[in-house]
Amino acid sequence: MNRVYNFSAGPSMLPLSVLEKAQAELVCYGESGMSVMEMSHRSADYDAIIKKAEADLREIMEIPDNYKVLFLQGGASTQFAAVPLNLMKTGKADYILSGQFSTKAFKEGQKYGDAVAVASSKDVNFSKIPETTRESFRPDADFVHICFNNTIYGTKFNYIPDTGDIPLVADMSSCIISEPVDVSKFGVIYAGAQKNMAPAGLTVAIVREDLLGWTNPATPSMLDWKLMADNDSMYNTPPCYSIYMAGLVYEWIKSIGGLGEMKKMNEKKANLLYDYLDSQDYYIAPVEKESRSMMNVTFVTGNEDLDKKFAKEAAAAGLKNLKGHRSVGGMRASIYNAMPYEGVEALVAFMKDFAERNPK
Ligand SMILES: *Cc1c(COP(=O)(O)O)cnc(C)c1O
């Protein structure tokens, strides 16, 4: 078996033990006599799978009882519309712009009401997280939207914005279950699963119960959180197999000791890479130190041809998908939960070797 270190931003690596468990159960799940892919979502076997996945996610994230967990479809991008459709009661919403996804969410919000960008780091090409205080937000806004970890730029909020009584809504697609978070500080957390949880096709939303119940009447039923919550995410056929895979990932996190341990492992990997970046001047890390992401690490050589050569030679050496997003160039190493420490060691060794072989 020739598995590479896959630094893709998403879909991305899954833990090998999870893939092997899925492989072992692929053709025949338990006593069911069929694959999870072939099961009715209304069957007893599947009911146990989805209930356990939710219970395990609640356990590892310590989700308070007054939050609903929704298993949805359409990716995080669909939630960019679902958020205003479910929460824009008076029609006002504040957005913090920290990158491309938060800007897309903002544009979607503008379709439905008075959406305002109250803070932005666009002027510095999103190389840092904008600072905010409670005064940054309109007191009568229905919600404040942020993107907690900016996958493309490699930045992450190192603080939770103080929005007072205004519900804080966070896109956590690329950092969910990478470390503990205080869910009670958020009104809504949502995430596409394909970065750090499961294969593509599943979106998880965690919604505080008191925010359910007002939905713009023009909202498509499939985007109505209340309807989804009332039907236990089974208003229609859910993304059954991706939910099963997410369940295996949650079990794996429990087996390594939970999100506290996960954070330690992720910090160790990120520190190895950032410490190397800070120790030399061949590669440049464009992100402000205080805003660095633990999941997506961006760097450039300062020479586009060398960047291209780097990504190409790294891929040939078994370090795949290190090319940066087309809008920022350079390199990006996505080191989600499933990336082993050895993968980052191999990357740093390659970076040293490449720098020696290609003097600037
Ligand atoms: C990947 C990503 C998205 C887009 O997710 P889709 O599931 O493709 O819609 C949105 N936000 C963040 C932070 C992402 O990383």
Side-chain angles (χ1 to χ4, degrees), residues 15-37 241 244-245 248:
L16 182 58
S17 63
V18 164
L19 293 173
E20 285 170 343
K21 176 129 198 244
Q23 183 180 43
E25 296 177 337
L26 183 76
V27 173
C28 211
Y29 178 80
E31 303 293 308
S32 72
M34 62 181 83
S35 171
V36 175
M37 291 185 218
Y241 198 76
Y244 156 76
M245 289 295 291
L248 295 185

Side-chain angles (χ1 to χ4, degrees), residues 42 49 102 211 271 320 335 356:
R42 311 272 178 208
I49 290 171
S102 53
L211 299 175
N271 287 343
K320 300 273 187 192
I335 49 174
E356 266 169 37

Side-chain angles (χ1 to χ4, degrees), residues 74-78 80 101 147 149 151 171 173-174 192 194-195:
S77 302
T78 298
F80 296 165
F101 290 119
C147 180
N149 184 80
T151 324
D171 175 357
S173 295
S174 49
Q194 72 274 21
K195 311 284 161 70

Side-chain angles (χ1 to χ4, degrees), residues 122-169:
K122 187 165 193 277
D123 56 330
V124 290
N125 196 28
F126 297 123
S127 60
K128 64 173 192 179
I129 296 293
E131 282 155 33
T132 59
T133 63
R134 192 181 286 203
E135 285 66 46
S136 309
F137 310 110
R138 293 179 291 177
D140 55 348
D142 291 323
F143 63 87
V144 173
H145 181 280
I146 63 171
C147 180
F148 211 51
N149 184 80
N150 297 279
T151 324
I152 293 173
Y153 303 88
T155 62
K156 194 202 149 197
F157 275 81
N158 65 3
Y159 71 100
I160 296 177
D162 175 8
T163 59
D165 292 334
I166 312 169
L168 180 61
V169 177

Side-chain angles (χ1 to χ4, degrees), residues 231-295:
N231 287 278
D232 296 323
S233 304
M234 294 260 197
Y235 174 73
N236 73 329
T237 318
C240 300
Y241 198 76
S242 291
I243 294 171
Y244 156 76
M245 289 295 291
L248 295 185
V249 168
Y250 305 152
E251 270 177 20
W252 171 73
I253 288 181
K254 280 169 64 174
S255 78
I256 62 160
L259 289 187
E261 284 304 311
M262 194 76 252
K263 179 182 187 181
K264 277 188 212 156
M265 292 161 74
N266 284 331
E267 269 175 350
K268 201 175 153 209
K269 287 184 284 178
N271 287 343
L272 180 66
L273 191 42
Y274 283 124
D275 286 349
Y276 170 64
L277 283 169
D278 291 341
S279 72
Q280 51 79 57
D281 54 16
Y282 187 85
Y283 303 99
I284 305 140
V287 165
E288 185 193 82
K289 274 190 187 174
E290 290 69 37
S291 300
R292 282 175 169 176
S293 165
M294 187 164 71
M295 296 280 99

